[in-house]
Amino acid sequence: MTTHSTMNKDTLLWMYSTMVTIRRFEEQSRREADAGKLRGMHSSIGQEAVPTGISAHLRDNDFVLGTHRSHHHCIAKGVDINEMMAELLGKATGTNSGKGGTMHIADINKGMLGANGVVGSNIPVATGVGLSAKVRGTDQVSVVFFGDGASSQGVLHESMNLASIWKLPVLFVCENNRYAESTPFEFTVAGGSISNRAAGYDIPGVSVDGQSVLEMFEVGGEAVARARRGDGPTLIEAQTYRYHGHFGADDPLGYRSEEEQEYYMDRDCIKQLTAHIIENGFAGEDDLQSLDEKALAAIAEAVRFADESPFPDDADLMTDVYNTYA
Ligand SMILES: Cc1ncc(C[n+]2csc(CCOP(=O)(O)OP(=O)(O)O)c2C)c(N)n1
Ligand SMILES: [Mg+2]
């Protein structure tokens, strides 16, 4: 992946394409789930701008760690969507040979060290990855995404403390989509702010509009530059929203209002970037439409690739696992 760390036409169009590809991938994944071809899918629709603005500054050899809701993190980091779709459908050609599924997508060549179904579990892993980069004397950066539901877990606080003391190149990126399953953020986060907690660890804490990819780009750029310089970690709280339920069968109207949903959907990240590109003459509607068509064609190809791929062989049941008896 080429980095897009200067805000110019190329960067804007890369961010547009990336967000549209994520959205179309997620829409297709929901259809695949409805058809019974995969289970346990957590849609990232609505949250596309968060990893896109940050990943614009990342190289293939920088690291990203995700959550149970990580398709957008993977696509923004450049993971191949054919292999992702195959992984979702449990096929042998998937990123994890079809044995990980939606919640465990990893691609080490792209620096995507893994999605993870255990809430908060990747935060200390990312801190260790940052320590490794520092000890090896590289300028690699480690980014961990986590939800508002993980923000009060002890591991975040232990990790921020060590990362600050040791000046580790880590970005702690909280995607505050206002709910942990059906529990509103206000019910679980004392003080009403996650980013304010950075003050206790003497590191920058930034609250940013996670529906604006331009703002995510700016905040991400500063945090990545700080980490590469050796000045230490940053906590970013991206204010965002998931448009669908927590997972496929969840009806969000059981715990949130239509008005609230409309408020966020009106400020949709793709809509906002489209307006910015067109109003400022960076590209025309036709140019964006051709990028939309390209994304749709790529998703259709991913489904074809996944459908035509075989399931893993029974003989491979015990490969790719730690086996002390081997
Ligand atoms: C340690 C742990 N506790 C509970 C769960 C069950 N669980 C799965 S997702 C989730 C909510 C997570 O909310 P948040 O961190 O805000 O992420 P979001 O789903 O909003 O992206 C919970 C409680 C889990 N997977 N792991
Ligand atoms: Mg949440």
Side-chain angles (χ1 to χ4, degrees):
M1 191 172 97
T2 331
T3 50
H4 294 270
S5 38
T6 313
M7 180 52 78
N8 53 27
K9 178 180 170 176
D10 274 1
T11 301
L12 287 166
L13 294 185
W14 177 82
M15 295 199 297
Y16 178 86
S17 274
T18 301
M19 295 200 298
V20 168
T21 302
I22 295 168
R23 182 143 317 169
R24 301 293 162 253
F25 184 92
E26 293 295 62
E27 287 167 353
Q28 187 61 39
S29 305
R30 283 168 59 82
R31 285 191 281 271
E32 299 297 319
D34 289 345
K37 288 160 73 181
L38 71 108
R39 296 199 180 166
M41 137 100 194
H42 300 87
S43 160
S44 66
I45 290 180
Q47 303 184 194
E48 294 88 345
V50 180
T52 301
I54 290 176
S55 294
H57 302 281
L58 300 180
R59 310 167 184 155
D60 278 349
N61 72 349
D62 289 320
F63 302 103
V64 163
L65 291 108
T67 67
H68 53 287
R69 191 183 309 288
S70 252
H71 298 170
H72 57 328
H73 307 144
C74 297
I75 294 175
K77 193 63 172 61
V79 179
D80 182 84
I81 60 170
N82 289 0
E83 292 180 20
M84 281 180 66
M85 188 60 80
E87 188 58 38
L88 262 55
L89 301 196
K91 299 299 184 77
T93 53
T95 47
N96 305 49
S97 310
K99 300 178 190 177
T102 163
M103 279 190 274
H104 301 99
I105 295 172
D107 183 350
I108 289 174
N109 294 328
K110 294 286 175 188
M112 175 62 204
L113 298 187
N116 197 318
V118 182
V119 169
S121 60
N122 263 342
I123 297 170
V125 177
T127 308
V129 167
L131 176 60
S132 156
K134 178 151 186 165
V135 168
R136 288 180 291 112
T138 74
D139 67 350
Q140 289 164 296
V141 169
S142 170
V143 180
V144 60
F145 295 97
F146 54 94
D148 44 292
S151 67
S152 296
Q153 292 222 2
V155 283
L156 174 61
H157 299 270
E158 296 169 42
S159 297
M160 286 197 294
N161 186 59
L162 271 183
S164 173
I165 294 283
W166 290 340
K167 290 199 184 312
L168 302 183
V170 181
L171 271 64
F172 297 101
V173 184
C174 179
E175 292 181 272
N176 183 355
N177 61 9
R178 317 217 66 82
Y179 296 90
E181 298 195 346
S182 58
T183 306
F185 145 82
E186 291 81 6
F187 281 31
T188 56
V189 176
S193 164
I194 294 166
S195 58
N196 279 356
R197 294 177 172 187
Y201 304 101
D202 194 26
I203 63 175
V206 193
S207 172
V208 55
D209 179 358
Q211 290 189 285
S212 163
V213 75
L214 299 180
E215 286 194 26
M216 284 308 312
F217 179 87
E218 198 181 319
V219 165
E222 280 170 25
V224 168
R226 173 180 153 83
R228 287 207 205 285
R229 278 198 311 271
D231 288 346
T234 301
L235 170 63
I236 297 172
E237 178 184 0
Q239 311 294 344
T240 184
Y241 204 69
R242 65 165 154 75
Y243 292 177
H244 296 283
H246 172 65
F247 67 103
D250 172 44
D251 176 8
L253 289 174
Y255 50 87
R256 65 189 200 188
S257 68
E258 270 182 54
E259 293 71 36
E260 181 185 288
Q261 294 188 164
E262 277 164 22
Y263 170 78
Y264 286 100
M265 290 179 195
D266 279 351
R267 302 170 58 259
D268 179 65
C269 56
I270 296 176
K271 268 195 214 166
Q272 286 195 56
L273 183 61
T274 303
H276 178 81
I277 290 174
I278 292 187
E279 281 161 22
N280 291 286
F282 288 110
E285 275 174 30
D286 289 355
D287 302 316
L288 297 188
Q289 202 184 330
S290 78
L291 294 177
D292 292 350
E293 283 161 15
K294 241 172 138 176
L296 271 176
I299 303 302
E301 170 56 20
V303 173
R304 189 202 60 76
F305 174 80
D307 278 340
E308 289 177 7
S309 294
F311 285 108
D313 204 272
D314 287 354
D316 288 331
L317 193 62
M318 296 304 286
T319 57
D320 306 321
V321 293
Y322 289 111
N323 180 354
T324 49
Y325 302 104

